Amino acid sequence: MTQANTTQQTYDQQLTKLANIVDLETYPIHDLEHPATKALIARCKVQLDDIGCSVIADFVLPEAQERMRQEARKLLPCIFRSEQKHNPYMTKEDKALAEQHPNRYLQHRTAGFINTDIIPKESDMLAMYDNDIMTRFIGECLGIWPIYPWADPLARCPYGVLEDGDYFPWHFDGNEFTVSVSVEQPDEGGTFEYAPNIRSIENENIEGVKRVINGDKTDVYELEWKPGYLQLFKGRYSLHRVQQVKGPRAWITALPTYMTDPDTVNRPEHSKQFYGRALPIHFEREGNRPDNLSD
Ligand SMILES: [Fe+2]
């Protein structure tokens, strides 16, 4: 078989798989020239530039949503839970700063992950993630190319879970962008709130950050977030949090992670702290960093 044939066959297989998971009739993301896809990508780009956030409603088909929910529910007993007190920057508290400085605003995070390596191979979520059509579409929306699915066996596409009483406090992300897919929403709480572009490279806007963490909602948006929705988010400059979850239903959100440098994995310490384990690959690639940042 020629390489062209193999490539065509892989593409056809991936498209068939994706058609069982994503609503390709409403969102024909396999056809980048389709007017609906062009309009969708344009809309995502404008929103990402404008408010750092774009949501595609009902992206996942109802049957696939249900399979994802059942898969995650089944794996809940294997969740790795972690907790930490942190400030919005996820940095060390600096006691030399004034007490009202956001650096000294420490809040308690409790959350869990269903690690990617325990998700069954036939998972819809993984089939959607390890799919060239999907990767290409996400890259188009973000305006970043090439991007790749990640090499980290635990963190590449986990389910993030917040259960009754859990809270993910105000913070900025260290990474440029995040992709999320909602799988289950709690009865109460679990609302994603964000203050778009509240800081920039030139301006930390300490006063603005202070206002938000002290409860001023003037610049805060609430995300409409339902199972099957896909979110693209640029969290480096937008302060955000997930409100405390209440009740027996959990907040379950898949985090398919795309990288511009797919081979670098989490540091062993980071992996242990958030995913409960470090694997040989985390130690082997520890020296192999794209930059010299401490995280
Ligand atoms: Fe975040």
Side-chain angles (χ1 to χ4, degrees), residues 168 171-173 178 233 240:
F168 206 121
H171 67 283
F172 291 104
D173 290 341
T178 318
F233 185 63
H240 56 286

Side-chain angles (χ1 to χ4, degrees), residues 6-266:
T6 316
T7 311
Q8 184 60 42
Q9 201 181 38
T10 311
Y11 177 85
D12 291 346
Q13 284 169 350
Q14 293 196 344
L15 182 57
T16 308
K17 264 253 142 94
L18 206 61
N20 285 321
I21 303 168
V22 171
D23 182 356
L24 294 182
E25 278 186 28
T26 310
Y27 305 118
I29 62 166
H30 54 294
D31 180 2
L32 296 175
E33 295 306 314
H34 194 292
T37 311
K38 281 186 165 175
L40 176 63
I41 290 169
R43 192 257 286 175
C44 288
K45 279 187 166 158
V46 168
Q47 290 180 325
L48 283 169
D49 282 344
D50 233 21
I51 53 168
C53 181
S54 186
V55 166
I56 306 175
D58 302 321
F59 185 75
V60 177
L61 290 165
E63 314 86 74
Q65 283 174 32
E66 184 52 23
R67 290 194 294 269
M68 289 172 182
R69 198 187 66 78
Q70 283 184 15
E71 172 175 273
R73 278 255 143 225
K74 215 164 151 184
L75 291 169
L76 275 187
C78 310
I79 192 175
F80 177 75
R81 292 180 53 79
S82 65
E83 54 184 289
Q84 195 188 24
K85 270 194 154 185
H86 60 73
N87 66 24
Y89 310 104
M90 305 265 190
T91 53
K92 258 200 153 136
E93 183 185 8
D94 181 355
K95 291 199 168 142
L97 293 168
E99 254 177 60
Q100 295 75 22
H101 192 287
N103 168 283
R104 302 199 57 193
Y105 182 76
L106 302 182
Q107 283 199 291
H108 195 213
R109 172 184 58 76
T110 53
F113 276 126
I114 296 168
N115 293 336
T116 319
D117 69 335
I118 62 167
I119 299 175
K121 296 273 171 287
E122 63 279 10
S123 159
D124 283 48
M125 189 58 78
L126 293 184
M128 184 168 90
Y129 177 57
D130 287 312
N131 192 300
D132 298 340
I133 298 164
M134 184 70 186
T135 307
R136 181 67 203 275
F137 169 68
I138 296 289
E140 289 290 327
C141 292
L142 292 166
I144 304 173
W145 194 258
I147 57 167
Y148 309 90
W150 197 12
D152 194 300
L154 305 181
R156 59 199 306 269
C157 185
Y159 288 107
V161 181
L162 300 178
E163 295 174 284
D164 190 19
D166 285 346
Y167 172 51
F168 206 121
W170 290 112
H171 67 283
F172 291 104
D173 290 341
N175 46 328
E176 285 295 317
F177 61 88
T178 318
V179 180
S180 321
V181 179
S182 176
V183 172
E184 183 172 297
Q185 273 299 100
D187 297 313
E188 204 188 329
T191 306
F192 182 86
E193 291 183 301
Y194 62 109
N197 298 320
I198 195 162
R199 70 170 182 176
S200 64
I201 297 233
E202 299 80 32
N203 181 9
E204 276 281 7
N205 188 13
I206 297 297
E207 289 308 313
V209 172
K210 235 197 245 180
R211 278 198 296 276
V212 172
I213 60 183
N214 285 319
D216 184 339
K217 302 267 184 181
T218 316
D219 299 322
V220 174
Y221 288 48
E222 277 190 9
L223 186 76
E224 194 187 353
W225 193 226
K226 292 182 182 167
Y229 281 30
L230 179 135
Q231 181 204 27
L232 302 163
F233 185 63
K234 292 193 169 173
R236 189 94 183 95
Y237 309 109
S238 300
L239 190 64
H240 56 286
R241 72 165 173 178
V242 183
Q243 286 178 349
Q244 189 176 46
V245 166
K246 287 177 188 152
R249 282 155 59 86
W251 177 98
I252 305 177
T253 294
L255 300 162
T257 306
Y258 298 90
M259 306 293 264
T260 50
D261 162 30
D263 296 326
T264 304
V265 295
N266 277 325

